[in-house]
Amino acid sequence: MRMQTYNLPDVGEGLTEAEIVQWHVKPGDAVAVNDVVAEIETAKSLVELPSPFAGTVSELLVDEGETVAVGTPILAVSAETGQPAQAAPAPQAPAAPAEPAADAGGSVLVGYGTGGEVQTRRRKAPREKTVTDTVGVVAKPPIRKLARDLGIELSEVTATGPAGDVTRDDVLRHAEQAKVFRNLETPQWPEERERRMPAPPRSVPPRPADDRYEAIPVKGVRKATANAMVGSAYTAPHVSVWTDVNASRTMEFVQRLKQQPQFADVRISPLLVFAKALLWAVQRTPEINSAWIDTEDGGAEIQVRGYVNLGIAAATPRGLLVPNIKEAHAMSMRELAVALQNLTQTAREGRTRPEDQQGGTITITNIGVFGMDAATPIINPGEAGIVAMGAIRQKPWVVEGEVRPAWVTTVSGSFDHRIVDGDKISRFIADIAAVLEEPALLLD
């Protein structure tokens, strides 16, 4: 018998750690290559892990609910002597063990090719790593040098890069904050007052005896969301704008679409028109669909995308997810409606794939479903803007000097002021509002 160890893989999203949510096998179970052995929760989604080996489960090396780093041994499988180890991609996301088993020739098994044959690749010579410490901090060499020069420990820096990496701005911001705290002098208290001062509070209050409090660990999606939002808020200077809109014609347009045969099997809502309005507005102000990129020489550039991967913020039982619709700018009204329906259903069922949450260029958050009118949302890292769609309510509206009932909504949004100025931001929001007031503009 030969023992083989399965290490927690990076499932293709720059993963540094994951939680073992549920084991699908137990010691003594027989497994074949590609059998699902566990379900893990990463910072972005639930992923099923397939077995890279065939054999018998010897030991589960990690308990359910435990969070471990990529590369940690999680499962031991015994195989008959001479039985080749095989590796296979995960069905939910591309997966490969961080330290895959090697065959007798020293090749790393990386997955299946055409015809079901196992493909191999030779191990490459070690390259300069960007991981600077044991907790998985990722940073490019110039950024690491800058941190060393400033005396900054990278593990203490909040990373805001698009791949979870530490950027130049992150290091400089941390250095500035550290300088402020170093310059704060501790006041000298008189001895008598010091004796009267109460003991400093504990950083974590003790749990009360009556258990009226619940401690919820911050991990998985919640942890990733918190880190991303903090990084975005303190990196990109946000500016928010909003305007009220008479969306009565949008509501009429939605009703007409519902009556069309080609939309009979698709859910139609005002969000569809809102998304189309945003895509129309991006064509007129493409700078909104940009990203601020820190360059390796310490400078920066603005990257204007020629495509739109439209993010839709989705509240799910696992927390906030922002999957995006790839190439949304090229979709017809029906194609976009189908994509929105599939995205929403997949998110609610917890089946959103990691790759569906990567590469977004601009985001819509539909706060109207919660009865909210407007918001100042936080921009997703790597994007320049996020637009909020408010609730659509019947309100009094002045038309040609007369007060009439109308379906009114508010279009609001936040934007990276490093990338877009106030005039372009205002024009962009005004364009969305114009389409909601008159959907016929989409025919231009």
Side-chain angles (χ1 to χ4, degrees):
M1 300 292 287
R2 175 176 64 169
M3 190 68 66
Q4 299 172 112
T5 302
Y6 185 15
N7 299 334
L8 178 67
D10 179 347
V11 293
E13 53 177 315
L15 184 70
T16 60
E17 64 180 15
E19 177 189 346
I20 305 298
V21 176
Q22 182 181 12
W23 283 109
H24 289 201
V25 296
K26 62 183 183 300
D29 286 353
V31 294
V33 172
N34 269 344
D35 282 355
V36 174
V37 295
E39 187 178 59
I40 65 172
E41 181 175 24
T42 73
K44 295 182 178 179
S45 60
L46 291 174
V47 178
E48 292 181 337
L49 290 184
S51 173
F53 313 121
T56 302
V57 175
S58 298
E59 185 180 2
L60 306 180
L61 304 177
V62 177
D63 294 332
E64 290 183 353
E66 186 175 350
T67 299
V68 294
V70 166
T72 300
I74 61 173
L75 177 70
V77 176
S78 59
E80 295 293 338
T81 303
Q83 181 177 357
Q86 302 179 65
Q92 297 296 322
E99 294 292 339
D103 62 12
S107 298
V108 182
L109 300 168
V110 297
Y112 289 90
T114 58
E117 297 180 355
V118 176
Q119 298 177 339
T120 62
R121 66 182 179 200
R122 304 299 301 181
R123 291 188 185 273
K124 296 181 180 179
R127 60 180 176 83
E128 183 177 10
K129 295 183 178 180
T130 57
V131 178
T132 61
D133 52 39
T134 58
V135 298
V137 176
V138 179
K140 295 178 181 178
I143 306 303
R144 292 189 282 116
K145 181 179 184 303
L146 175 63
R148 287 196 301 271
D149 293 343
L150 295 175
I152 299 298
E153 178 60 49
L154 281 177
S155 62
E156 299 176 357
V157 178
T158 300
T160 66
D165 55 310
V166 176
T167 67
R168 181 174 182 272
D169 285 347
D170 297 336
V171 174
L172 294 177
R173 183 176 62 255
H174 185 89
E176 185 65 25
Q177 293 171 345
K179 181 173 66 175
V180 170
F181 282 109
R182 282 196 299 269
N183 291 339
L184 293 176
E185 296 183 357
T186 302
Q188 299 298 317
W189 297 95
E191 182 178 350
E192 180 63 25
R193 179 168 182 179
E194 186 171 314
R195 284 197 297 267
R196 296 198 306 266
M197 289 288 287
R202 295 175 55 187
S203 58
V204 179
R207 181 183 295 274
D210 59 4
D211 286 333
R212 290 180 298 170
Y213 296 88
E214 177 186 6
I216 301 176
V218 178
K219 57 184 179 180
V221 173
R222 174 56 56 193
K223 181 178 179 181
T225 301
N227 290 338
M229 294 300 98
V230 169
S232 175
Y234 286 96
T235 300
H238 285 51
V239 59
S240 299
V241 297
W242 53 89
T243 186
D244 290 337
V245 183
N246 181 352
S248 297
R249 291 186 176 176
T250 286
M251 299 300 284
E252 296 171 358
F253 183 54
V254 167
Q255 293 304 315
R256 288 198 299 271
L257 287 179
K258 289 181 178 180
Q259 297 170 7
Q260 299 300 313
Q262 64 267 37
F263 291 98
D265 59 340
V266 185
R267 183 177 183 274
I268 305 299
S269 73
L271 177 61
L272 172 61
V273 184
F274 193 96
K276 265 296 186 181
L278 181 145
L279 295 171
W280 185 81
V282 164
Q283 291 181 333
R284 291 165 55 85
T285 311
E287 295 87 352
I288 294 290
N289 192 49
S290 302
W292 180 277
I293 305 296
D294 293 312
T295 56
E296 293 189 3
D297 61 2
E301 65 183 20
I302 295 174
Q303 183 184 82
V304 182
R305 283 84 169 242
Y307 60 95
V308 179
N309 290 345
L310 180 60
I312 305 293
T316 75
R318 296 179 52 245
L320 179 67
L321 300 180
V322 189
N324 60 80
I325 300 171
K326 309 299 187 197
E327 305 290 326
H329 66 285
M331 291 183 173
S332 66
M333 185 74 76
R334 174 178 165 76
E335 290 171 336
L336 185 60
V338 171
L340 284 170
Q341 178 173 284
N342 292 340
L343 178 148
T344 302
Q345 182 175 348
T346 301
R348 287 174 178 170
E349 295 174 355
R351 297 186 292 108
T352 302
R353 301 175 301 176
E355 55 265 37
D356 292 336
Q357 300 175 68
Q358 299 172 348
T361 64
I362 190 168
T363 296
I364 292 174
T365 176
N366 185 5
I367 61 173
V369 297
F370 306 112
M372 297 296 102
D373 295 324
T376 56
I378 297 178
I379 305 165
N380 283 320
E383 301 178 13
I386 179 171
V387 184
M389 176 181 173
I392 302 179
R393 313 175 192 274
Q394 276 205 312
K395 295 182 179 180
W397 191 265
V398 178
V399 179
E400 297 178 353
E402 296 182 0
V403 177
R404 302 176 185 176
W407 290 101
V408 178
T409 188
T410 302
V411 181
S412 56
S414 298
F415 303 89
D416 187 340
H417 219 339
R418 298 174 300 177
I419 299 176
V420 281
D421 297 329
D423 60 334
K424 293 180 179 178
I425 292 171
S426 300
R427 174 181 174 177
F428 178 71
I429 291 294
D431 281 344
I432 295 176
V435 172
L436 296 179
E437 290 181 347
E438 182 47 82
L441 288 173
L442 295 174
L443 301 177
D444 290 349

PDB file of all heavy atoms in Angstrom, residues 120-146:
ATOM      1  N   THR A 120       0.908  15.955 -18.278  1.00  0.00           N
ATOM      2  CA  THR A 120       1.923  16.251 -17.265  1.00  0.00           C
ATOM      3  C   THR A 120       2.750  17.422 -17.723  1.00  0.00           C
ATOM      4  O   THR A 120       2.808  17.747 -18.904  1.00  0.00           O
ATOM      5  CB  THR A 120       2.843  15.042 -17.024  1.00  0.00           C
ATOM      6  OG1 THR A 120       3.540  14.740 -18.234  1.00  0.00           O
ATOM      7  CG2 THR A 120       2.051  13.834 -16.562  1.00  0.00           C
ATOM      8  N   ARG A 121       3.392  18.049 -16.783  1.00  0.00           N
ATOM      9  CA  ARG A 121       4.322  19.124 -17.123  1.00  0.00           C
ATOM     10  C   ARG A 121       5.541  18.999 -16.221  1.00  0.00           C
ATOM     11  O   ARG A 121       5.433  18.551 -15.081  1.00  0.00           O
ATOM     12  CB  ARG A 121       3.664  20.507 -16.954  1.00  0.00           C
ATOM     13  CG  ARG A 121       3.306  20.853 -15.531  1.00  0.00           C
ATOM     14  CD  ARG A 121       2.622  22.196 -15.459  1.00  0.00           C
ATOM     15  NE  ARG A 121       2.260  22.509 -14.078  1.00  0.00           N
ATOM     16  CZ  ARG A 121       1.339  23.387 -13.727  1.00  0.00           C
ATOM     17  NH1 ARG A 121       0.682  24.027 -14.650  1.00  0.00           N
ATOM     18  NH2 ARG A 121       1.071  23.627 -12.458  1.00  0.00           N
ATOM     19  N   ARG A 122       6.651  19.392 -16.731  1.00  0.00           N
ATOM     20  CA  ARG A 122       7.881  19.306 -15.944  1.00  0.00           C
ATOM     21  C   ARG A 122       7.892  20.399 -14.901  1.00  0.00           C
ATOM     22  O   ARG A 122       7.378  21.484 -15.095  1.00  0.00           O
ATOM     23  CB  ARG A 122       9.101  19.468 -16.851  1.00  0.00           C
ATOM     24  CG  ARG A 122       9.157  18.467 -17.997  1.00  0.00           C
ATOM     25  CD  ARG A 122       9.217  17.026 -17.545  1.00  0.00           C
ATOM     26  NE  ARG A 122      10.383  16.758 -16.704  1.00  0.00           N
ATOM     27  CZ  ARG A 122      10.662  15.563 -16.194  1.00  0.00           C
ATOM     28  NH1 ARG A 122       9.854  14.543 -16.431  1.00  0.00           N
ATOM     29  NH2 ARG A 122      11.725  15.392 -15.458  1.00  0.00           N
ATOM     30  N   ARG A 123       8.479  20.107 -13.762  1.00  0.00           N
ATOM     31  CA  ARG A 123       8.626  21.141 -12.733  1.00  0.00           C
ATOM     32  C   ARG A 123       9.585  22.209 -13.230  1.00  0.00           C
ATOM     33  O   ARG A 123      10.673  21.910 -13.715  1.00  0.00           O
ATOM     34  CB  ARG A 123       9.185  20.547 -11.438  1.00  0.00           C
ATOM     35  CG  ARG A 123       8.218  19.628 -10.727  1.00  0.00           C
ATOM     36  CD  ARG A 123       8.781  19.256  -9.379  1.00  0.00           C
ATOM     37  NE  ARG A 123       7.945  18.287  -8.718  1.00  0.00           N
ATOM     38  CZ  ARG A 123       6.911  18.603  -7.962  1.00  0.00           C
ATOM     39  NH1 ARG A 123       6.585  19.860  -7.816  1.00  0.00           N
ATOM     40  NH2 ARG A 123       6.189  17.661  -7.384  1.00  0.00           N
ATOM     41  N   LYS A 124       9.185  23.443 -13.105  1.00  0.00           N
ATOM     42  CA  LYS A 124      10.032  24.558 -13.510  1.00  0.00           C
ATOM     43  C   LYS A 124      10.964  24.936 -12.374  1.00  0.00           C
ATOM     44  O   LYS A 124      10.708  24.661 -11.211  1.00  0.00           O
ATOM     45  CB  LYS A 124       9.174  25.767 -13.894  1.00  0.00           C
ATOM     46  CG  LYS A 124       8.291  25.513 -15.110  1.00  0.00           C
ATOM     47  CD  LYS A 124       7.505  26.746 -15.452  1.00  0.00           C
ATOM     48  CE  LYS A 124       6.628  26.506 -16.667  1.00  0.00           C
ATOM     49  NZ  LYS A 124       5.840  27.701 -17.010  1.00  0.00           N
ATOM     50  N   ALA A 125      12.057  25.600 -12.746  1.00  0.00           N
ATOM     51  CA  ALA A 125      12.981  26.067 -11.719  1.00  0.00           C
ATOM     52  C   ALA A 125      12.306  27.096 -10.849  1.00  0.00           C
ATOM     53  O   ALA A 125      11.459  27.862 -11.318  1.00  0.00           O
ATOM     54  CB  ALA A 125      14.223  26.675 -12.393  1.00  0.00           C
ATOM     55  N   PRO A 126      12.638  27.139  -9.564  1.00  0.00           N
ATOM     56  CA  PRO A 126      11.992  28.103  -8.672  1.00  0.00           C
ATOM     57  C   PRO A 126      12.200  29.522  -9.165  1.00  0.00           C
ATOM     58  O   PRO A 126      13.278  29.888  -9.647  1.00  0.00           O
ATOM     59  CB  PRO A 126      12.707  27.864  -7.327  1.00  0.00           C
ATOM     60  CG  PRO A 126      13.282  26.496  -7.431  1.00  0.00           C
ATOM     61  CD  PRO A 126      13.625  26.299  -8.868  1.00  0.00           C
ATOM     62  N   ARG A 127      11.149  30.327  -9.080  1.00  0.00           N
ATOM     63  CA  ARG A 127      11.249  31.737  -9.437  1.00  0.00           C
ATOM     64  C   ARG A 127      11.101  32.580  -8.182  1.00  0.00           C
ATOM     65  O   ARG A 127      10.737  32.088  -7.117  1.00  0.00           O
ATOM     66  CB  ARG A 127      10.162  32.126 -10.442  1.00  0.00           C
ATOM     67  CG  ARG A 127       8.758  31.915  -9.946  1.00  0.00           C
ATOM     68  CD  ARG A 127       7.766  32.321 -11.012  1.00  0.00           C
ATOM     69  NE  ARG A 127       6.412  32.048 -10.624  1.00  0.00           N
ATOM     70  CZ  ARG A 127       5.680  32.851  -9.855  1.00  0.00           C
ATOM     71  NH1 ARG A 127       6.186  33.971  -9.390  1.00  0.00           N
ATOM     72  NH2 ARG A 127       4.438  32.532  -9.540  1.00  0.00           N
ATOM     73  N   GLU A 128      11.369  33.837  -8.317  1.00  0.00           N
ATOM     74  CA  GLU A 128      11.265  34.710  -7.154  1.00  0.00           C
ATOM     75  C   GLU A 128       9.824  34.791  -6.700  1.00  0.00           C
ATOM     76  O   GLU A 128       8.935  35.120  -7.465  1.00  0.00           O
ATOM     77  CB  GLU A 128      11.752  36.117  -7.500  1.00  0.00           C
ATOM     78  CG  GLU A 128      11.744  37.056  -6.303  1.00  0.00           C
ATOM     79  CD  GLU A 128      12.284  38.421  -6.640  1.00  0.00           C
ATOM     80  OE1 GLU A 128      12.481  38.690  -7.828  1.00  0.00           O
ATOM     81  OE2 GLU A 128      12.518  39.205  -5.725  1.00  0.00           O
ATOM     82  N   LYS A 129       9.585  34.455  -5.454  1.00  0.00           N
ATOM     83  CA  LYS A 129       8.227  34.424  -4.947  1.00  0.00           C
ATOM     84  C   LYS A 129       7.784  35.820  -4.531  1.00  0.00           C
ATOM     85  O   LYS A 129       8.585  36.656  -4.153  1.00  0.00           O
ATOM     86  CB  LYS A 129       8.116  33.489  -3.739  1.00  0.00           C
ATOM     87  CG  LYS A 129       8.381  32.034  -4.101  1.00  0.00           C
ATOM     88  CD  LYS A 129       8.189  31.150  -2.891  1.00  0.00           C
ATOM     89  CE  LYS A 129       8.398  29.694  -3.230  1.00  0.00           C
ATOM     90  NZ  LYS A 129       8.208  28.823  -2.055  1.00  0.00           N
ATOM     91  N   THR A 130       6.472  36.030  -4.606  1.00  0.00           N
ATOM     92  CA  THR A 130       5.928  37.291  -4.125  1.00  0.00           C
ATOM     93  C   THR A 130       5.323  37.150  -2.747  1.00  0.00           C
ATOM     94  O   THR A 130       4.901  38.106  -2.145  1.00  0.00           O
ATOM     95  CB  THR A 130       4.848  37.816  -5.080  1.00  0.00           C
ATOM     96  OG1 THR A 130       3.841  36.829  -5.210  1.00  0.00           O
ATOM     97  CG2 THR A 130       5.443  38.145  -6.435  1.00  0.00           C
ATOM     98  N   VAL A 131       5.264  35.907  -2.231  1.00  0.00           N
ATOM     99  CA  VAL A 131       4.756  35.705  -0.884  1.00  0.00           C
ATOM    100  C   VAL A 131       5.873  36.030   0.089  1.00  0.00           C
ATOM    101  O   VAL A 131       6.921  35.417   0.066  1.00  0.00           O
ATOM    102  CB  VAL A 131       4.292  34.251  -0.678  1.00  0.00           C
ATOM    103  CG1 VAL A 131       3.807  34.052   0.736  1.00  0.00           C
ATOM    104  CG2 VAL A 131       3.179  33.921  -1.665  1.00  0.00           C
ATOM    105  N   THR A 132       5.655  36.982   0.951  1.00  0.00           N
ATOM    106  CA  THR A 132       6.739  37.498   1.775  1.00  0.00           C
ATOM    107  C   THR A 132       6.755  36.946   3.178  1.00  0.00           C
ATOM    108  O   THR A 132       7.690  37.204   3.909  1.00  0.00           O
ATOM    109  CB  THR A 132       6.637  39.039   1.866  1.00  0.00           C
ATOM    110  OG1 THR A 132       5.388  39.373   2.467  1.00  0.00           O
ATOM    111  CG2 THR A 132       6.711  39.660   0.482  1.00  0.00           C
ATOM    112  N   ASP A 133       5.727  36.232   3.600  1.00  0.00           N
ATOM    113  CA  ASP A 133       5.755  35.661   4.936  1.00  0.00           C
ATOM    114  C   ASP A 133       4.807  34.483   4.994  1.00  0.00           C
ATOM    115  O   ASP A 133       4.194  34.116   4.010  1.00  0.00           O
ATOM    116  CB  ASP A 133       5.392  36.702   6.016  1.00  0.00           C
ATOM    117  CG  ASP A 133       4.089  37.402   5.711  1.00  0.00           C
ATOM    118  OD1 ASP A 133       3.167  36.718   5.226  1.00  0.00           O
ATOM    119  OD2 ASP A 133       3.988  38.605   5.962  1.00  0.00           O
ATOM    120  N   THR A 134       4.687  33.899   6.162  1.00  0.00           N
ATOM    121  CA  THR A 134       3.952  32.654   6.299  1.00  0.00           C
ATOM    122  C   THR A 134       2.450  32.836   6.230  1.00  0.00           C
ATOM    123  O   THR A 134       1.733  31.860   6.125  1.00  0.00           O
ATOM    124  CB  THR A 134       4.309  31.980   7.631  1.00  0.00           C
ATOM    125  OG1 THR A 134       4.013  32.886   8.700  1.00  0.00           O
ATOM    126  CG2 THR A 134       5.783  31.614   7.675  1.00  0.00           C
ATOM    127  N   VAL A 135       1.935  34.043   6.295  1.00  0.00           N
ATOM    128  CA  VAL A 135       0.489  34.217   6.265  1.00  0.00           C
ATOM    129  C   VAL A 135      -0.021  34.508   4.856  1.00  0.00           C
ATOM    130  O   VAL A 135      -1.176  34.800   4.666  1.00  0.00           O
ATOM    131  CB  VAL A 135       0.048  35.358   7.216  1.00  0.00           C
ATOM    132  CG1 VAL A 135       0.405  35.024   8.636  1.00  0.00           C
ATOM    133  CG2 VAL A 135       0.674  36.695   6.807  1.00  0.00           C
ATOM    134  N   GLY A 136       0.866  34.455   3.851  1.00  0.00           N
ATOM    135  CA  GLY A 136       0.397  34.562   2.482  1.00  0.00           C
ATOM    136  C   GLY A 136       0.254  35.947   1.953  1.00  0.00           C
ATOM    137  O   GLY A 136      -0.591  36.211   1.110  1.00  0.00           O
ATOM    138  N   VAL A 137       1.069  36.901   2.392  1.00  0.00           N
ATOM    139  CA  VAL A 137       1.023  38.251   1.836  1.00  0.00           C
ATOM    140  C   VAL A 137       1.604  38.229   0.432  1.00  0.00           C
ATOM    141  O   VAL A 137       2.672  37.672   0.203  1.00  0.00           O
ATOM    142  CB  VAL A 137       1.815  39.246   2.714  1.00  0.00           C
ATOM    143  CG1 VAL A 137       1.828  40.624   2.073  1.00  0.00           C
ATOM    144  CG2 VAL A 137       1.211  39.307   4.089  1.00  0.00           C
ATOM    145  N   VAL A 138       0.893  38.831  -0.525  1.00  0.00           N
ATOM    146  CA  VAL A 138       1.344  38.854  -1.918  1.00  0.00           C
ATOM    147  C   VAL A 138       1.688  40.281  -2.297  1.00  0.00           C
ATOM    148  O   VAL A 138       0.909  41.209  -2.079  1.00  0.00           O
ATOM    149  CB  VAL A 138       0.237  38.312  -2.849  1.00  0.00           C
ATOM    150  CG1 VAL A 138       0.691  38.349  -4.299  1.00  0.00           C
ATOM    151  CG2 VAL A 138      -0.125  36.879  -2.450  1.00  0.00           C
ATOM    152  N   ALA A 139       2.878  40.464  -2.858  1.00  0.00           N
ATOM    153  CA  ALA A 139       3.308  41.794  -3.286  1.00  0.00           C
ATOM    154  C   ALA A 139       4.402  41.642  -4.326  1.00  0.00           C
ATOM    155  O   ALA A 139       5.197  40.690  -4.279  1.00  0.00           O
ATOM    156  CB  ALA A 139       3.808  42.625  -2.102  1.00  0.00           C
ATOM    157  N   LYS A 140       4.454  42.568  -5.269  1.00  0.00           N
ATOM    158  CA  LYS A 140       5.483  42.539  -6.300  1.00  0.00           C
ATOM    159  C   LYS A 140       6.823  42.983  -5.705  1.00  0.00           C
ATOM    160  O   LYS A 140       6.864  43.691  -4.697  1.00  0.00           O
ATOM    161  CB  LYS A 140       5.073  43.456  -7.453  1.00  0.00           C
ATOM    162  CG  LYS A 140       3.822  42.971  -8.178  1.00  0.00           C
ATOM    163  CD  LYS A 140       3.415  43.933  -9.282  1.00  0.00           C
ATOM    164  CE  LYS A 140       2.148  43.439  -9.982  1.00  0.00           C
ATOM    165  NZ  LYS A 140       1.684  44.372 -11.021  1.00  0.00           N
ATOM    166  N   PRO A 141       7.930  42.584  -6.352  1.00  0.00           N
ATOM    167  CA  PRO A 141       9.257  42.926  -5.805  1.00  0.00           C
ATOM    168  C   PRO A 141       9.460  44.408  -5.509  1.00  0.00           C
ATOM    169  O   PRO A 141       9.983  44.746  -4.450  1.00  0.00           O
ATOM    170  CB  PRO A 141      10.210  42.411  -6.894  1.00  0.00           C
ATOM    171  CG  PRO A 141       9.476  41.257  -7.508  1.00  0.00           C
ATOM    172  CD  PRO A 141       8.029  41.662  -7.500  1.00  0.00           C
ATOM    173  N   PRO A 142       9.041  45.359  -6.410  1.00  0.00           N
ATOM    174  CA  PRO A 142       9.240  46.773  -6.067  1.00  0.00           C
ATOM    175  C   PRO A 142       8.464  47.196  -4.816  1.00  0.00           C
ATOM    176  O   PRO A 142       8.924  48.047  -4.066  1.00  0.00           O
ATOM    177  CB  PRO A 142       8.725  47.514  -7.314  1.00  0.00           C
ATOM    178  CG  PRO A 142       8.799  46.526  -8.417  1.00  0.00           C
ATOM    179  CD  PRO A 142       8.497  45.211  -7.786  1.00  0.00           C
ATOM    180  N   ILE A 143       7.302  46.592  -4.627  1.00  0.00           N
ATOM    181  CA  ILE A 143       6.497  46.929  -3.455  1.00  0.00           C
ATOM    182  C   ILE A 143       7.167  46.387  -2.194  1.00  0.00           C
ATOM    183  O   ILE A 143       7.194  47.050  -1.149  1.00  0.00           O
ATOM    184  CB  ILE A 143       5.072  46.362  -3.597  1.00  0.00           C
ATOM    185  CG1 ILE A 143       4.445  46.837  -4.916  1.00  0.00           C
ATOM    186  CG2 ILE A 143       4.207  46.773  -2.416  1.00  0.00           C
ATOM    187  CD1 ILE A 143       4.389  48.334  -5.089  1.00  0.00           C
ATOM    188  N   ARG A 144       7.719  45.164  -2.283  1.00  0.00           N
ATOM    189  CA  ARG A 144       8.419  44.598  -1.126  1.00  0.00           C
ATOM    190  C   ARG A 144       9.652  45.433  -0.757  1.00  0.00           C
ATOM    191  O   ARG A 144       9.952  45.639   0.411  1.00  0.00           O
ATOM    192  CB  ARG A 144       8.811  43.150  -1.411  1.00  0.00           C
ATOM    193  CG  ARG A 144       7.602  42.220  -1.506  1.00  0.00           C
ATOM    194  CD  ARG A 144       7.991  40.760  -1.566  1.00  0.00           C
ATOM    195  NE  ARG A 144       8.456  40.384  -2.893  1.00  0.00           N
ATOM    196  CZ  ARG A 144       9.688  39.968  -3.167  1.00  0.00           C
ATOM    197  NH1 ARG A 144      10.576  39.891  -2.210  1.00  0.00           N
ATOM    198  NH2 ARG A 144      10.029  39.643  -4.386  1.00  0.00           N
ATOM    199  N   LYS A 145      10.356  45.918  -1.796  1.00  0.00           N
ATOM    200  CA  LYS A 145      11.529  46.759  -1.536  1.00  0.00           C
ATOM    201  C   LYS A 145      11.116  48.061  -0.862  1.00  0.00           C
ATOM    202  O   LYS A 145      11.765  48.530   0.090  1.00  0.00           O
ATOM    203  CB  LYS A 145      12.262  47.063  -2.838  1.00  0.00           C
ATOM    204  CG  LYS A 145      13.516  47.925  -2.641  1.00  0.00           C
ATOM    205  CD  LYS A 145      14.210  48.166  -3.971  1.00  0.00           C
ATOM    206  CE  LYS A 145      15.507  48.938  -3.754  1.00  0.00           C
ATOM    207  NZ  LYS A 145      15.318  50.230  -3.070  1.00  0.00           N
ATOM    208  N   LEU A 146      10.004  48.664  -1.356  1.00  0.00           N
ATOM    209  CA  LEU A 146       9.509  49.894  -0.745  1.00  0.00           C
ATOM    210  C   LEU A 146       9.166  49.665   0.724  1.00  0.00           C
ATOM    211  O   LEU A 146       9.487  50.493   1.586  1.00  0.00           O
ATOM    212  CB  LEU A 146       8.273  50.384  -1.504  1.00  0.00           C
ATOM    213  CG  LEU A 146       7.548  51.606  -0.935  1.00  0.00           C
ATOM    214  CD1 LEU A 146       8.455  52.828  -0.945  1.00  0.00           C
ATOM    215  CD2 LEU A 146       6.260  51.886  -1.720  1.00  0.00           C
TER     216      LEU A 146
END
